[in-house]
Amino acid sequence: MSKKDYRFIDLFAGCGGLSEGFYRDGYKALFHLEIDEAACKTLRTRMKHYGYSDKEIEEAVMCDDITRDGLLKDMDERIHEPVDIIIGGPPCQAFSSVGRAQSPDGMSSDPRNYLFENYLQVLNHYKPKMFIFENVKGLLTAKPKGVKIFDIIVREMSKTYNIVADPKVLLLNAADYGVPQIRERVIIIGVRKDINYFDIKDVYESIPKSNSDIDAHLPNYVTVGEAILDLPKLNPGEGDNIQKVAVTEPTNDFLKIVKNDSGIIYNHSARKHNDADRERYRILSSHKNWQLKDLQKVRPDLIHHDPKHFGNRYTVQESDKPGKTVVAHLYKDGNLFIHPDSEQARTFTVREAARIQSFPDDFVFEGSRTDQFKQVGNAVPPLMAETFAKTIRKYLDVIEEKSRKN
């Protein structure tokens, strides 16, 4: 029996990492809302990949500000079918620990703290059966102006939707769903209050983890090496946005999911680096767990002129572990994402960062390389999203069946 093409709206869509998981499970995109033009271009390119017509893409991707007056009226003119689920999450910079640490007032005056209100406005306008709201771990503790944002979100969502308010349930790690990266995110799933066919807690309990535990403390996570070491080797400054490569067989289960058998690799070009950084990268990636201060042992001349500021800014992504959280800051410099292969002596390409985020190789990131890095760093990992999509489908099927009987 064919799957029902449940219809979704994606808010704060970015490049479409969350929606990619829903595409992969056969959902139908009605609408993507995103303010960044390069990300919107990526969304259009991806919809084309999934066979949407030019007319459908034109209506479905709106590059606009969610806070703009009259937005809902314009959305109504583009959305012609009932909405089954709304997905998305506001920009996370105002809630992230890094953002708060770097802001003079701890991001308390940042207007992005309250973009969840616009998400709720759209949610309460369309009243879909279910929703997913995604954000960083810092959402749980953010207190701009002395009030916990999380408590406000729970209170407002609970007026029309059943949700779980326990942070221990809501905080999920992408590595548990086949993503080669430690990435904790708050995932709030809601079901409309008039739908009482199941307990919302059951939804969380039924989300399958894709990795079997070796023991209770050592999950069998996908590693950086498994994710990226099959990609073409590059020296700094080499590579291209589109390049033809030899087709090779995937050597592990993760590569079976993400590899592109067309022989085309997208967004795999390396930054240029100065000689000092190249030598730093080469030495650090040759020694397990070394940091910049460890260069004092072999090359004191490479200790940075500002060790207090740069001491922990040079980090090798170790090949035998899952990656550290990919962040949008990657567009400024890649020193937190040094390639584990010392021969290459460079930082990650966009494609390597995308692999760590579990994007498939045929996913094309549009815009400049800076734009592409931002899109990858801000995205929800598609493999994690696909796990949610499959789980939610089971409950949408229940709702559909019960509604039909009633």
Side-chain angles (χ1 to χ4, degrees):
M1 186 174 68
S2 61
K3 292 181 178 179
K4 180 176 173 58
D5 55 349
Y6 292 115
R7 296 147 299 201
F8 72 90
I9 287 176
D10 190 5
L11 303 177
F12 309 100
C15 66
L18 189 51
S19 59
E20 176 70 11
F22 283 78
Y23 280 134
R24 290 169 71 95
D25 195 55
Y27 287 70
K28 179 181 179 181
L30 295 181
F31 191 77
H32 299 278
L33 181 64
E34 169 55 39
I35 196 170
D36 181 77
E37 182 54 55
C40 288
K41 190 174 180 182
T42 298
L43 289 167
R44 296 182 187 107
T45 297
R46 197 58 181 168
M47 288 192 76
K48 194 77 171 177
H49 170 85
Y50 278 107
Y52 286 79
S53 68
D54 291 342
K55 184 176 184 300
E56 288 173 319
I57 295 170
E58 174 99 23
E59 286 199 330
V61 179
M62 179 183 280
C63 201
D64 208 336
D65 185 344
I66 196 170
T67 67
R68 177 177 63 80
D69 289 341
L71 179 76
L72 282 173
K73 180 177 180 295
D74 291 341
M75 288 177 64
D76 286 343
E77 291 177 358
R78 292 176 178 231
I79 297 170
H80 310 299
E81 299 178 56
V83 181
D84 294 303
I85 181 168
I86 288 179
I87 63 177
C92 63
Q93 289 87 346
F95 303 134
S96 73
S97 57
V98 174
R100 279 188 269 171
Q102 293 179 348
S103 170
D105 65 351
M107 305 295 274
S108 63
S109 61
D110 194 305
R112 290 173 296 185
N113 282 313
Y114 300 96
L115 285 173
F116 72 88
E117 295 175 343
N118 302 99
Y119 180 102
L120 289 172
Q121 184 180 29
V122 178
L123 181 69
N124 291 324
H125 179 76
Y126 288 104
K127 296 184 174 62
K129 301 176 182 73
M130 299 183 73
F131 74 83
I132 287 184
F133 179 94
E134 177 270 346
N135 220 285
V136 295
K137 182 179 179 179
L139 173 70
L140 300 172
T141 55
K143 296 175 68 174
K145 301 179 183 177
V147 180
K148 283 184 72 174
I149 288 287
F150 177 69
D151 291 345
I152 300 173
I153 290 173
V154 167
R155 183 188 70 218
E156 294 304 312
M157 286 180 172
S158 297
K159 290 178 180 178
T160 47
Y161 284 82
N162 290 320
I163 64 170
V164 174
D166 183 354
K168 293 178 181 177
V169 175
L170 302 180
L171 193 62
L172 304 180
N173 188 344
D176 288 325
Y177 308 99
V179 180
Q181 175 189 181
I182 301 299
R183 189 183 189 90
E184 289 187 306
R185 287 296 183 267
V186 175
I187 305 295
I188 302 176
I189 300 172
V191 60
R192 211 172 59 221
K193 280 198 164 183
D194 62 306
I195 298 171
N196 54 8
Y197 307 131
F198 52 84
D199 191 321
I200 189 62
K201 292 180 181 178
D202 295 341
V203 180
Y204 284 92
E205 291 175 1
S206 63
I207 299 174
K209 293 188 176 181
S210 60
N211 292 296
S212 300
D213 286 353
I214 296 172
D215 63 42
H217 305 291
L218 186 62
N220 186 24
Y221 289 152
V222 181
T223 66
V224 168
E226 290 172 315
I228 70 169
L229 290 185
D230 70 304
L231 286 166
K233 292 187 176 185
L234 300 174
N235 290 316
E238 292 183 345
D240 208 341
N241 213 35
I242 304 175
Q243 54 189 297
K244 187 78 174 175
V245 299
V247 178
T248 58
E249 288 297 316
T251 55
N252 58 60
D253 289 340
F254 177 78
L255 293 182
K256 289 177 182 176
I257 297 171
V258 302
K259 272 183 75 73
N260 182 3
D261 59 7
S262 71
I264 305 241
I265 290 286
Y266 300 94
N267 312 115
H268 188 47
S269 64
R271 286 184 171 106
K272 294 179 180 178
H273 303 299
N274 62 46
D275 291 342
D277 266 345
R278 289 192 65 179
E279 190 64 5
R280 290 181 181 111
Y281 301 154
R282 186 190 67 77
I283 295 172
L284 291 175
S285 57
S286 299
H287 296 81
K288 193 171 180 64
N289 297 324
W290 269 31
Q291 296 179 341
L292 192 64
K293 60 181 172 55
D294 296 305
L295 292 179
Q296 185 73 44
K297 305 171 186 176
V298 293
R299 288 290 303 274
D301 58 305
L302 293 177
I303 296 296
H304 209 282
H305 67 278
D306 185 4
K308 183 178 180 181
H309 183 70
F310 285 92
N312 62 351
R313 299 295 179 92
Y314 285 72
T315 304
V316 177
Q317 296 293 301
E318 298 176 45
S319 62
D320 59 349
K321 296 179 180 178
K324 297 177 176 63
T325 303
V326 175
V327 293
H329 181 79
L330 190 54
Y331 82 91
K332 291 185 177 179
D333 70 68
N335 291 332
L336 289 172
F337 296 88
I338 300 171
H339 198 285
D341 180 5
S342 60
E343 291 183 5
Q344 298 184 59
R346 60 172 176 81
T347 58
F348 273 13
T349 66
V350 170
R351 180 50 50 193
E352 287 160 346
R355 281 275 190 96
I356 299 301
Q357 280 278 59
S358 77
F359 279 95
D361 286 352
D362 59 14
F363 194 106
V364 180
F365 296 91
E366 302 285 4
S368 68
R369 186 161 60 191
T370 292
D371 292 328
Q372 295 166 16
F373 272 124
K374 285 181 183 178
Q375 291 171 51
V376 174
N378 284 325
V380 176
L383 271 185
M384 187 184 197
E386 186 177 2
T387 304
F388 299 156
K390 288 179 177 178
T391 299
I392 286 172
R393 173 178 290 282
K394 296 176 184 177
Y395 290 92
L396 288 174
D397 284 344
V398 170
I399 295 169
E400 185 82 5
E401 181 181 355
K402 295 285 188 181
S403 299
R404 204 164 43 240
K405 287 181 178 179
N406 293 340

